[in-house]
Amino acid sequence: MFDFCSALCKLFRTILCYWENEKWIGGCTMKKDGILLKSRIMCFVILCLFPLIACSAENKTDATTAPVRPGDSNQSTESNPSARSGETRSFDLGSSVSLEMVWIPGGTFQMGSPSSESGRGSNEGPVHTVELDGFWMGKTEVMNAQFRKFRSSHDSGSYEGNCLNGDNQPVVSVSWEDAKAFCDWLANRTGQPFTLPTEAQWEYACRAGTATARFTGDSDASLHGYANAADATAKRKWSNWTCFSWDDGYAVSSPVGIFKANQFGLYDMIGNVWEWCADWYGDYISGRQENPTGPSSGPTRVFRGGCWFIPPKYCRSAYRYGVTPERRSRDLGFRVCLSPVR
């Protein structure tokens, strides 16, 4: 470093001597001291500026190549390259009510269930390969408080005197059209393309990388602590029900998000309330599919996930059924999906 500084000073002395029509020979010039001082000052300035210029150039490069964070103004509408599994994003609905989304990374999975799975229905096959792009999924089912930001008069009611209308309970008694209208309202409010999840997105998000009957395993008992389903609490009220053996403390729907989440960080993917999907209900098609959206038309829409009064055989990742879009039920709600985010 010292040799570099010395050489730089000599270069500046030569330049300054030339400008002032002087020769640097011993001490024969009266301008020697002045030229020496000037050359040292110039050397010092250059050495100070060099790292600043280098840092500026590096920062400029980083700004053009760094991945974009979700929510930045130049976020890609095709994908979310910087989003990571389990990352969350919150959307304000007003009056301290928000809606939280979780990033679900894209991937490939086997959709449906094998014929050997206990409780399996014939409509759950054939098992087929599905490839999905990444998307955002509602961390919980849409709550009454959130839905009432859209439709203030909504009342989820009760079941035999047991309240379903608490602010933190999942909204129920909503048709497929009601759920779709909420998504449209949310899209207009936020400028983001909110929808209901496709059936493939729903099952992929529920499985969270697993291939067992439930994201907790194959056994009924594995769901203990993860799902609000028909249990000992319900059995004490309705003795003729077929129930799980444990007692989760809730006879009907619970506040969302109080049971344990699956591996993607999503709550109540099995149990609490059934969830509408975007698709028309229909038979599966064999063969590999990419981002499928189901049949182009039909009389019924898909719902998934099990609910608070459902016995074990229906509380599985692959269980599926369909009802007419105008159907409203005390056990049927929804969660929202966002793919891609702007």
Side-chain angles (χ1 to χ4, degrees), residues 23-331:
K23 293 183 180 179
W24 189 265
I25 303 175
C28 66
T29 176
M30 295 296 293
K31 297 184 180 180
K32 175 180 176 181
D33 292 340
I35 291 174
L36 181 60
L37 179 60
K38 291 178 183 178
S39 65
R40 288 176 177 172
I41 291 174
M42 291 177 68
C43 181
F44 176 79
V45 171
I46 291 297
L47 289 175
C48 289
L49 289 177
F50 179 78
L52 295 176
I53 295 170
C55 288
S56 177
E58 183 179 356
N59 289 338
K60 183 176 181 181
T61 301
D62 288 346
T64 59
T65 60
V68 181
R69 297 188 301 264
D72 286 353
S73 60
N74 58 338
Q75 176 64 46
S76 167
T77 60
E78 295 303 320
S79 63
N80 291 82
S82 66
R84 298 178 180 179
S85 178
E87 182 176 337
T88 61
R89 187 177 185 195
S90 184
F91 292 86
D92 177 38
L93 304 186
S95 303
S96 300
V97 176
S98 61
L99 185 147
E100 196 164 9
M101 306 292 288
V102 176
W103 175 248
I104 310 298
T108 302
F109 79 111
Q110 299 300 302
M111 187 171 181
S113 64
S115 57
S116 59
E117 185 169 300
S118 177
R120 185 225 197 219
S122 60
N123 65 344
E124 296 171 25
V127 175
H128 53 289
T129 301
V130 173
E131 182 178 349
L132 293 173
D133 296 333
F135 57 95
W136 296 86
M137 188 82 150
K139 189 173 186 177
T140 68
E141 295 153 334
V142 172
M143 298 181 289
N144 284 309
Q146 294 166 332
F147 192 80
R148 281 195 276 262
K149 301 306 294 183
F150 158 65
R151 188 173 291 166
S152 60
S153 61
H154 180 78
D155 186 345
S156 286
S158 62
Y159 179 74
E160 296 189 6
N162 297 275
C163 179
L164 304 172
N165 201 41
D167 280 348
N168 295 329
Q169 287 177 283
V171 66
V172 292
S173 296
V174 286
S175 66
W176 186 92
E177 287 94 344
D178 294 331
K180 177 65 165 55
F182 177 85
C183 291
D184 292 343
W185 169 81
L186 193 56
N188 289 332
R189 178 181 176 85
T190 63
Q192 303 291 347
F194 280 94
T195 64
L196 292 172
T198 65
E199 187 176 16
Q201 287 174 325
W202 190 96
E203 185 170 326
Y204 178 75
C206 179
R207 289 190 176 279
T210 66
T212 48
R214 304 160 179 94
F215 59 81
T216 54
D218 284 317
S219 70
D220 297 349
S222 68
L223 269 181
H224 186 198
Y226 289 87
N228 175 25
D231 70 324
T233 305
K235 189 76 170 176
R236 288 193 291 270
K237 287 180 174 287
W238 304 288
S239 59
N240 61 328
W241 286 18
T242 300
C243 298
F244 286 92
S245 60
W246 67 74
D247 191 340
D248 62 26
Y250 292 93
V252 293
S253 66
S254 67
V256 303
I258 66 169
F259 292 88
K260 289 185 252 185
N262 74 358
Q263 293 87 333
F264 279 154
L266 301 172
Y267 293 86
D268 304 313
M269 288 299 293
I270 294 179
N272 222 9
V273 296
W274 295 104
E275 299 176 16
W276 285 113
C277 292
D279 306 35
W280 291 105
Y281 176 80
D283 293 335
Y284 282 155
I285 300 173
S286 61
R288 186 183 183 92
Q289 299 175 47
E290 294 184 12
N291 300 307
T293 56
S296 58
S297 62
T300 57
R301 295 282 187 178
V302 175
F303 64 88
R304 290 292 209 111
C307 73
W308 49 268
F309 76 76
I310 286 298
K313 67 180 279 188
Y314 301 114
C315 292
R316 296 179 295 108
S317 299
Y319 184 80
R320 61 194 296 260
Y321 204 68
V323 293
T324 55
E326 61 271 14
R327 169 78 175 270
R328 292 185 176 92
S329 176
R330 289 167 291 189
D331 58 352

